[in-house]
Amino acid sequence: MELSEISKSEIEQEIQQSFEGLVEASKALDATRYFEFIDAERFVGLNADGTNWNSIVGLRELVEPGFNAVEKVESLIFTNVRISVIDLNTAILVNEYEQKILLKGGTHYKEAGGGTQVWSKASGKWLLVSISASSKP
């Protein structure tokens, strides 16, 4: 069954809202809220260093200490976001970002990169089932 343009647009808006919630949780350094956007049962992904996250455990081991090491997110800007709707329950979001943070201890850190996110509505709400991350040199 083919999706109508109205259905695609509605799904894109729902994904955009979920993505914005994820971004706000990241800016707030709120790991609990961040993980509310991830399907803990189905999650797998690819870290920017080329290693797999074969479950939510690996992502938690990166995100939680990372958030705890940051004093403040000075800026987190997404310069290019595109959502591609696959079907009623699946969409892919690709993005490019730039981020400036202040680490505890006073060090300023700047990074940029991109990501691919697979969103699924199999559980009744849009959740991330996969993330692939990359870093710009």
Side-chain angles (χ1 to χ4, degrees):
M1 182 169 96
E2 207 169 304
L3 289 171
S4 70
E5 287 304 311
I6 293 171
S7 294
K8 284 183 181 179
S9 178
E10 289 171 357
I11 291 169
E12 287 172 0
Q13 289 175 11
E14 290 174 7
I15 297 293
Q16 184 65 40
Q17 287 177 334
S18 294
F19 178 67
E20 289 171 5
L22 182 74
V23 171
E24 288 306 313
S26 296
K27 288 179 178 179
L29 304 168
D30 185 342
T32 300
R33 184 156 180 255
Y34 179 91
F35 283 100
E36 290 175 1
F37 293 96
I38 299 174
D39 186 330
E41 299 299 315
R42 295 179 179 92
F43 181 83
V44 294
L46 179 65
N47 195 343
D49 68 5
T51 59
N52 283 353
W53 296 305
N54 292 318
S55 72
I56 194 77
V57 173
L59 183 62
R60 279 189 188 280
E61 290 172 349
L62 177 73
V63 170
E64 290 173 348
F67 280 11
N68 289 333
V70 175
E71 180 69 34
K72 178 182 177 188
V73 176
E74 295 176 329
S75 68
L76 176 56
I77 301 166
F78 289 86
T79 57
N80 187 4
V81 177
R82 170 83 163 89
I83 298 168
S84 177
V85 177
I86 305 302
D87 59 34
L88 289 172
N89 295 309
T90 313
I92 298 170
L93 182 148
V94 292
N95 66 74
E96 296 175 40
Y97 72 91
E98 298 172 0
Q99 177 173 242
K100 294 178 186 175
I101 58 175
L102 173 62
L103 297 174
K104 291 180 179 170
T107 303
H108 290 269
Y109 185 72
K110 181 178 176 181
E111 70 176 342
T116 301
Q117 301 175 342
V118 180
W119 291 84
S120 172
K121 198 173 184 181
S123 65
K125 70 178 191 173
W126 289 105
L127 296 174
L128 282 166
V129 293
S130 186
I131 298 171
S132 292
S134 66
S135 296
K136 290 183 181 178

